[in-house]
Amino acid sequence: MSEQPKKPAKKKVELDPRFVNYKHVWVVVESERGEVHPVSWELLGEGRKLADALGVQLCGVVMCGPGERGAGICGEAFTYGADKCYLMQDEVLKDYRNEPYTKALTDLVNTYQPEILMLGASTLGRDLAGSVATTLGTGLVADCTELVIETETRNLASTRPTFGGSLLCTIMTQRHRPQMATVRPRVMAMPEADGSRSGEIVTVPFSMIETSIVTKVLEFIADDTRDKPNLPFADIIVSGGRGLKKPENFQLVWDLAKVLGAEVGASRPVVQAGWAELDRQVGQSGKTVRPKLYIAAGISGAIQHRVGMDGADVIIAINTDANAPIFDFAHYGIVGNAMTILPALTEAFKAHLAQAKKAG
Amino acid sequence: MAEKFDVIVVGAGMAGNAAAYTLAKGGLKVLQIERGETPGSKNVQGAILYSDAIEKIIPDFRDDAPLERHLIEQRVWILDDNSYVGTNYRSEDFNKPPYNRYTIIRAHFDQWFSKKAREVGALTICETTVTELLLDGKKVVGVMTDRKGGEIYADAVILADGVNSRLATKAGFHPEIKPKDVALAVKEIHFLPQETIEARFNIGEEEGVVIEMAGTISEGMMGTAFLYTNKESITLGIGCMLSDFKKQKTTPYELLDKMKKHPSIAPLIEGGEMKEYAAHLIPEGGYNAVPQVYGDGWLIAGDAGMFVNGIHREGSNLAMTTGMLAAQTLVELKQAGKAFTAPNLSKYKAKLDDSFVMKDLKKYRRMPDIFHKNNQFFTTYPTLLSKAAQTIIRVDGVDKKTKEKEIKKSFIASRSVFGLIGDAFKFWRAME
Amino acid sequence: MHSVVCIKQVPDSAQIRVHPVTNTIMRQGVPAIINPYDLFALEEALRLKDRFGGTVTVVTMGPPMAEAALRKCLSYGADDAILVSDRAFAGSDTLATSYALATTIKKIMGNMPVDLIFTGKQTIDGDTAQVGPGIAKRLDYQLLTYVSKIVDLDLEKKEITVERRAEGGVQLLKTATPCLITMLEGTNEMRFGDLDDLFRAARYDLKVWNREAAGIDDAEMIGLKGSPTVVSKVFAPRPRSQRAEMVETVDNDPKNLAVTLLAKVFTQHPKLEKEIAKRAG
């Protein structure tokens, strides 16, 4: 029943007096085994803008095991824009588990009272955000694509796609604090790191003991990343859609990708038909990507697809239908059959690269 | 499955729902089996609902049936490549309740109809395909389904499984359908805001328009096209004989595409979002193609029995009526304590002959053949008509009498005097 | 054992259209389906029932038409179905929804203790993934999200071991039951129910609970009042101001088109040319 378009709220809603002292913008810096999820840096970049608009501090929250480089992560967070970091290091926070992390973050919020709390929409972030919003009894907006401060009320206006991306809606949490939001990886731009920046680390002890925690991590089996596509962070992506007609024609996408050193993406119908694996699906129900070049072959550009690749620097679209929606937001378009254009493009890139190599 | 039913109805289209409703209302224990995900999900029709047929089954259907618009205007267009010659009939009389015809969306209407049948006691199961009929000698005693534990027994089975009824063919009740006896129709639904539709067709809320079309649009094949206004969408489609498509090596989709680009049609659907594309076979063999419709423990209703009046583009009302009559036959026999044997079920045929169904089909029995053998009805005439209209309308200093002569000449040049007379005679014979 | 599966009836998002003028969802002709992610949850519950016996109860909160979704779940093999439906729920956000569902489940537990609660990983209309975690927190149950496999279940010891999809790998987790599991997609395939289930589903006397029947005494916790988030604006995605620059040649020969395109792209984006050359080199 969530996110049904409701009647717009007209009346000005007053903030509950319990929350008037809530101040500053927080970003949960998600780390596992010492590795920070890049979405956290993207959030700091966005959080910086919000903090500046409000004239408050931007703070990182780092939760990890005692042996891990907590202070190091805080230091990195400063270079991406944080003014302050709350660092909680404890044995029970070594692996991500819902129960201790929910308690840790809930305690931190109740003690230090931020007005905005942001997390990445990763498996960890969504698990934690949904839980903490419930323990705090506050509003949470998932998968935001735009975050703005409403100047007169100081409220956060969070915009997100709904109904599979067909519509966008702006959601406010006017009476409660903190205002929570999650953002999918690659939706916001990666900020430039500024090595000269530093900040304050506030070390906070954690009071939970292992015997009181019900869920135990027996093992962590790391993914074999050798053959795993990593679309969200690929610089060049060649994607294929239903316009390729037959599964064997999808090879043409691979051929071009190989010449460009690109990742291969796919639209939802193609993934559903089994021509490409789920990890390659671009769009609302798949991955959000932000490459420097995105080539869409035989993809009509339905809104579900568009929301996942709109952030690409350069989009080239090939489609037989001159009226396909993809031409409304691509930068370059060719009206033609992907089955013949793709091989021609592959050859053209090959020739161009060979020439460039000779020249350079 | 141990449970036994009085009657199993195969299919939840117009015929199946009419049968299931009538049977359940008549106190029989009915099971209805539908292969689609929901009743109506696989059903394709323009679609126009004729009040008369449904009224006989559910008199107060207007209270809660999902109806799109009642029709207040009928346009008949003869198209050539750039023009149409046509008639419009619009009357305030059509705006007085109870309304006579409505546009409907079958997926919605069929769900409602099926719900009505369930409300009076029919049991409906979906996503289940009847794979064959269970026979005891020549008598049908039940059905086999594709579900685990798939045999279900009943005293009678009504086959309302649509055109090309595989069950009837498999059981040898009727021969494989012939390409010359079926039309292949395709349709699309284009979504437009309600206000846009009402402005474009000059209609008020809930009022609707239907356009029936024929002409060069079917590229010489025997066929017609249509356009209906729904509440928030426009349905348009075209159908031609399957045998013609085979001969002409064109696809229905190409025809529909051409139709959408026609200068008289394109502005009506402009800006719409195409949502649904569906293709469907329509039995148009008429009277001569109707198979044996009953036997020991079985009856056929709706498209499965080829009950379609191709000339008047009526099918759903024949389907409802045949479904209802089949069911009434069974209810009456059951009440009289008689078995569902072939001789007893012959009463169904008598009911059909006595109804508008067989009377209308008989009236137009020569029609399919005439159109098959005389494609000038779909090629030469539309162009001639259009030219004639243009000649008359264009003001260019030529006197009217000369114009009339020119028109006459052009008709004779294209078709000869005997050809024209012959065509008129054929047409008159067929309509008579 | 007793599993409760929470499902939602959603409009098929692949077929949704937006009214060009009013920017509202045009539902006409859009089929209502069971949220596809929920089917993985239901199938997993049915598999556990196959192994251990017991009962699977399906719950949904929604309008009366959601009955169809519940009947479908019954036809797959669920034993009981409860539709929680009341005008008072209108406007509930995820926080209010999780409150309503958690309270309903408490009521169900009053009749029969619950071992596991299942939900899908998220819905395809809201896409929030918040209701599952919300229910777990409100019931103070352990939360296992993105579960890809139930490795072991010991009903006597009340212990469960699962594989959970995490960032960069899979966690093998062991916890106590009752707990709440959100099932990952693609982990199983929904069965084709048999005739008996179909008949039972068609005849099942569906339970419809209103707010009071579901045990929700505090009306302030549901609907608009119980929802901290407020939708302030709904709008269609902005079209990009400029349409694509179309690449054409006189003959529209694929080869010439490709060469023309490359020349155009690389002239306007010299950095991109370098980037590609670097990678290929």
Side-chain angles (χ1 to χ4, degrees):
Chain A
M1 292 237 162
S2 58
E3 319 304 1
Q4 303 278 347
K6 298 170 208 161
K7 283 264 163 63
K10 285 200 189 83
K11 239 183 5 209
K12 205 178 136 190
V13 183
E14 291 296 323
L15 181 62
D16 191 310
R18 282 179 296 160
F19 302 118
V20 288
N21 293 324
Y22 278 58
K23 211 169 158 190
H24 306 306
V25 177
W26 283 19
V27 169
V28 172
V29 179
E30 178 183 325
S31 71
E32 277 191 287
R33 288 160 298 282
E35 292 264 336
V36 177
H37 197 299
V39 71
S40 305
W41 305 143
E42 294 165 7
L43 282 177
L44 282 175
E46 199 60 23
R48 186 68 260 166
K49 293 180 213 160
L50 298 178
D52 290 346
L54 288 164
V56 298
Q57 287 187 323
L58 174 65
C59 311
V61 176
V62 180
M63 295 171 280
C64 60
E68 293 167 45
R69 46 176 209 107
I73 293 170
C74 293
E76 265 187 276
F78 298 139
T79 70
Y80 285 108
D83 301 308
K84 191 194 257 187
C85 274
Y86 294 96
L87 174 62
M88 231 183 210
Q89 284 190 289
D90 193 284
E91 198 57 47
V92 299
L93 298 173
K94 219 174 111 219
D95 279 292
Y96 175 75
R97 279 176 295 173
N98 178 271
E99 193 179 7
Y101 269 70
T102 301
K103 170 129 178 47
L105 188 54
T106 307
D107 288 355
L108 277 171
V109 167
N110 285 333
T111 311
Y112 297 98
Q113 309 190 330
E115 58 193 302
I116 291 174
L117 173 59
M118 299 196 286
L119 297 94
S122 58
T123 55
L124 185 159
R126 286 182 154 221
D127 183 283
L128 183 57
S131 303
V132 171
T134 312
T135 55
L136 295 171
T138 192
L140 163 62
V141 187
D143 293 354
C144 300
T145 51
E146 204 186 328
L147 297 164
V148 191
I149 300 295
E150 217 181 57
T151 34
E152 76 253 47
T153 60
R154 290 175 65 91
N155 283 330
L156 176 67
S158 312
T159 297
R160 70 180 305 262
T162 186
F163 286 106
S166 310
L167 283 178
L168 294 171
C169 60
T170 303
I171 297 175
M172 323 274 296
T173 301
Q174 293 144 318
R175 286 172 292 161
H176 293 77
R177 292 291 180 268
Q179 306 158 86
M180 291 182 64
T182 65
V183 178
R184 280 167 60 152
R186 304 309 276 155
V187 167
M188 302 299 178
M190 178 67 81
E192 294 274 341
D194 177 357
S196 68
R197 283 188 53 100
S198 63
E200 180 198 352
I201 298 178
V202 181
T203 310
V204 186
F206 189 43
S207 58
M208 228 175 170
I209 47 164
E210 184 59 45
T211 46
S212 71
I213 299 170
V214 181
T215 301
K216 308 289 176 193
V217 180
L218 304 181
E219 203 184 341
F220 181 83
I221 309 138
D223 289 333
D224 181 357
T225 49
R226 275 169 303 177
D227 298 321
K228 271 259 178 201
N230 189 1
L231 257 66
F233 292 93
D235 285 326
I236 303 176
I237 296 172
V238 186
S239 267
R242 210 162 16 181
L244 289 164
K245 302 277 190 237
K246 284 189 211 152
E248 49 270 34
N249 291 336
F250 203 77
Q251 182 59 37
L252 300 173
V253 174
W254 284 98
D255 294 346
L256 177 56
K258 199 176 162 205
V259 170
L260 296 174
E263 268 298 355
V264 167
S267 68
R268 180 165 74 174
V270 159
V271 169
Q272 277 173 351
W275 302 1
E277 60 261 51
L278 192 63
D279 281 338
R280 300 197 179 277
Q281 186 174 320
V282 174
Q284 174 70 14
S285 44
K287 303 272 188 279
T288 303
V289 301
R290 237 190 144 78
K292 294 180 174 130
L293 174 63
Y294 189 90
I295 301 177
I299 293 176
S300 67
I303 189 71
Q304 288 87 352
H305 189 76
R306 177 180 166 178
V307 294
M309 44 69 82
D310 218 1
D313 294 341
V314 176
I315 300 168
I316 297 174
I318 306 159
N319 204 294
T320 46
D321 179 5
N323 295 321
I326 191 128
F327 293 126
D328 292 337
F329 57 94
H331 300 92
Y332 300 96
I334 292 181
V335 177
N337 189 333
M339 273 98 82
T340 57
I341 305 283
L342 272 180
L345 264 181
T346 306
E347 286 311 309
F349 272 114
K350 243 192 227 166
H352 190 91
L353 289 172
Q355 211 175 15
K357 206 170 182 183
K358 233 192 283 169
Chain B
M1 156 143 299
E3 195 172 342
K4 200 189 145 198
F5 292 83
D6 288 331
V7 185
I8 292 171
V9 177
V10 186
M14 288 293 193
N17 283 333
Y21 181 88
T22 310
L23 288 163
K25 197 136 207 266
L28 270 66
K29 190 178 173 192
V30 190
L31 172 68
Q32 185 179 28
I33 305 175
E34 162 64 31
R35 81 190 157 102
E37 201 179 341
T38 52
S41 63
K42 295 238 169 192
N43 299 343
V44 182
Q45 189 203 339
I48 299 222
L49 177 77
Y50 303 91
S51 303
D52 178 65
I54 182 78
E55 238 165 16
K56 288 207 170 85
I57 302 162
I58 304 179
D60 54 359
F61 75 96
R62 291 181 182 87
D63 291 352
D64 54 358
L67 306 167
E68 293 287 310
R69 292 172 181 275
H70 65 268
L71 296 173
I72 62 154
E73 181 176 333
Q74 170 105 17
R75 304 180 188 174
V76 179
W77 288 2
I78 307 293
L79 301 162
D80 75 355
D81 290 348
N82 295 317
S83 352
Y84 77 83
V85 183
T87 61
N88 289 9
Y89 183 69
R90 177 175 175 136
S91 173
E92 263 313 287
D93 292 343
F94 290 140
N95 242 340
K96 291 183 195 123
Y99 307 122
N100 179 252
R101 295 186 303 163
Y102 297 89
T103 49
I104 52 167
I105 306 265
R106 279 293 298 270
H108 300 178
F109 186 84
D110 291 14
Q111 286 212 34
W112 167 84
F113 203 173
S114 165
K115 197 168 145 242
K116 286 279 155 188
R118 279 178 276 139
E119 278 169 13
V120 292
L123 186 70
T124 305
I125 58 172
C126 292
E127 287 179 282
T128 305
T129 304
V130 172
T131 50
E132 57 192 311
L133 296 172
L134 299 174
L135 295 170
D136 179 7
K138 278 184 125 180
K139 186 176 161 50
V140 172
V141 294
V143 299
M144 174 64 96
T145 68
D146 62 346
R147 293 267 178 180
K148 234 185 290 165
E151 291 174 6
I152 316 168
Y153 290 89
D155 290 333
V157 175
I158 295 182
L159 301 170
D161 54 336
V163 61
N164 212 0
S165 166
R166 290 186 192 290
L167 286 177
T169 314
K170 216 164 165 181
F173 297 157
H174 74 54
E176 283 280 350
I177 207 155
K178 297 185 194 88
K180 79 169 182 63
D181 287 341
V182 279
L184 178 58
V186 291
K187 71 154 192 187
E188 285 180 358
I189 296 186
H190 289 249
F191 280 86
L192 281 166
Q194 184 174 342
E195 315 82 69
T196 311
I197 293 174
E198 286 159 12
R200 268 182 206 177
F201 289 85
N202 187 25
I203 46 177
E205 220 181 313
E206 297 187 357
E207 295 172 353
V209 171
V210 50
I211 309 177
E212 302 278 2
M213 291 166 271
T216 58
I217 203 164
S218 60
E219 296 182 346
M221 298 185 284
M222 170 177 170
T224 54
F226 60 87
L227 184 152
Y228 305 144
T229 54
N230 305 315
K231 200 153 270 164
E232 285 189 327
S233 60
I234 286 175
T235 306
L236 77 167
I238 184 163
C240 292
M241 300 312 288
L242 189 57
S243 51
D244 285 356
F245 277 123
K246 277 187 167 169
K247 229 179 344 195
Q248 207 101 335
K249 297 215 167 32
T250 178
T251 65
Y253 189 74
E254 285 170 83
L255 284 191
L256 188 60
D257 219 36
K258 202 176 115 187
M259 174 179 165
K260 286 190 292 182
K261 291 186 181 126
H262 192 283
S264 303
I265 298 168
L268 297 176
I269 56 169
E270 200 204 315
E273 194 187 336
M274 202 271 268
K275 157 76 201 326
E276 216 177 287
Y277 172 81
H280 186 59
L281 289 175
I282 302 170
E284 299 219 345
Y287 186 79
N288 298 322
V290 172
Q292 173 69 19
V293 294
Y294 67 91
D296 261 338
W298 62 273
L299 299 152
I300 294 185
D303 282 7
M306 308 287 270
F307 295 114
V308 169
N309 180 346
I311 301 305
H312 284 261
R313 318 222 47 75
E314 291 175 22
S316 62
N317 53 334
L318 281 73
M320 272 188 261
T321 305
T322 54
M324 176 189 76
L325 294 177
Q328 281 173 354
T329 307
L330 293 171
V331 171
E332 285 161 17
L333 288 174
K334 177 88 181 176
Q335 279 165 358
K338 288 185 185 160
F340 299 151
T341 59
N344 286 342
L345 291 178
S346 68
K347 224 171 120 189
Y348 173 46
K349 184 73 185 8
K351 279 179 193 286
L352 286 175
D353 288 338
D354 200 35
S355 73
F356 79 94
V357 174
M358 290 314 266
K359 284 179 186 164
D360 280 359
L361 288 180
K362 198 166 176 182
K363 173 168 152 71
Y364 297 120
R365 67 190 177 281
R366 295 194 193 89
M367 241 10 195
D369 250 15
I370 287 177
F371 282 126
H372 265 305
K373 289 178 188 142
N374 302 275
N375 74 355
Q376 65 271 21
F377 285 113
F378 301 97
T379 52
T380 321
Y381 286 133
T383 314
L384 287 173
L385 273 173
S386 161
K387 268 194 205 146
Q390 223 176 81
T391 312
I392 288 287
I393 292 162
R394 203 183 279 269
V395 176
D396 50 9
V398 181
D399 66 279
K400 299 293 183 274
K401 189 156 185 187
T402 312
K403 284 192 176 199
E404 278 171 19
K405 269 189 196 154
E406 264 177 36
I407 293 168
K408 208 164 119 192
K409 223 161 60 190
S410 72
F411 268 74
I412 293 169
S414 314
R415 190 76 192 108
S416 86
V417 177
F418 291 111
L420 287 171
I421 295 171
D423 287 347
F425 179 71
K426 281 179 213 157
F427 201 75
W428 172 74
R429 276 268 322 249
M431 298 291 289
E432 181 209 25
Chain C
M1 71 170 295
H2 184 199
S3 300
V4 170
V5 184
C6 302
I7 65 138
K8 185 180 180 189
Q9 189 185 46
V10 295
D12 189 347
S13 69
Q15 301 194 37
I16 278 197
R17 295 165 326 280
V18 177
H19 192 294
V21 180
T22 60
N23 279 333
T24 49
I25 292 288
M26 291 163 75
R27 284 175 185 273
Q28 189 193 53
V30 180
I33 57 174
I34 300 174
N35 175 41
Y37 294 123
D38 297 343
L39 292 177
F40 301 106
L42 176 58
E43 174 60 24
E44 206 57 37
L46 292 173
R47 286 185 184 188
L48 291 179
K49 184 186 144 188
D50 291 344
R51 264 172 67 192
F52 298 101
T55 306
V56 173
T57 303
V58 186
V59 181
T60 195
M61 177 173 136
M65 69 177 276
E67 172 189 344
L70 288 177
R71 284 203 194 276
K72 192 144 189 188
C73 293
L74 292 165
S75 82
Y76 290 131
D79 300 279
D80 280 309
I82 297 161
L83 171 61
V84 189
S85 192
D86 199 313
R87 285 194 164 275
F89 296 127
S92 294
D93 71 357
T94 54
L95 198 76
T97 303
S98 67
Y99 178 81
L101 283 171
T103 312
T104 305
I105 293 169
K106 272 186 207 159
K107 178 98 183 181
I108 294 170
M109 285 191 281
N111 303 328
M112 190 195 292
V114 172
D115 299 291
L116 291 173
I117 301 169
F118 284 94
T119 72
K121 74 161 191 179
Q122 66 197 57
T123 59
I124 59 166
D125 58 345
D127 273 320
T128 68
Q130 290 163 11
V131 174
I135 295 171
K137 288 295 137 186
R138 291 187 183 283
L139 294 172
D140 202 14
Y141 277 14
Q142 291 299 306
L143 168 66
L144 303 169
T145 51
Y146 308 105
V147 169
S148 53
K149 192 179 170 188
I150 293 178
V151 180
D152 195 32
L153 174 62
D154 191 326
L155 288 169
E156 253 164 53
K157 286 195 195 150
K158 291 185 172 294
E159 277 176 359
I160 188 167
T161 308
V162 303
E163 283 181 9
R164 170 182 183 268
R165 162 77 4 217
E167 293 296 320
V170 172
Q171 285 183 321
L172 189 65
L173 296 175
K174 185 175 185 174
T175 196
T177 62
C179 63
L180 186 140
I181 290 173
T182 82
M183 240 10 238
L184 195 67
E185 76 273 23
T187 43
N188 56 42
E189 204 176 325
M190 181 46 76
R191 62 196 57 202
F192 190 60
D194 60 28
L195 265 185
D196 289 318
D197 287 325
L198 230 61
F199 275 48
R200 197 173 46 77
R203 287 176 167 145
Y204 182 83
D205 189 13
L206 200 86
K207 297 178 184 75
V208 183
W209 289 1
N210 62 10
R211 179 176 71 84
E212 290 85 4
I216 301 163
D217 303 322
D218 189 353
E220 299 277 304
M221 295 296 283
I222 54 162
L224 283 171
K225 280 200 172 151
S227 303
T229 61
V230 174
V231 178
S232 70
K233 197 167 73 177
V234 179
F235 54 104
R238 213 183 8 255
R240 191 165 280 181
S241 49
Q242 223 168 353
R243 247 182 86 83
E245 189 176 335
M246 302 309 282
V247 177
E248 287 163 333
T249 59
V250 187
D251 54 357
N252 274 335
D253 172 69
K255 199 179 154 198
N256 294 337
L257 279 172
V259 173
T260 314
L261 173 74
L262 249 58
K264 204 172 255 192
V265 174
F266 286 156
T267 318
Q268 291 171 13
H269 303 275
K271 261 196 191 158
L272 189 62
E273 182 176 16
K274 283 200 197 101
E275 169 81 27
I276 292 173
K278 188 179 78 197
R279 306 163 68 86

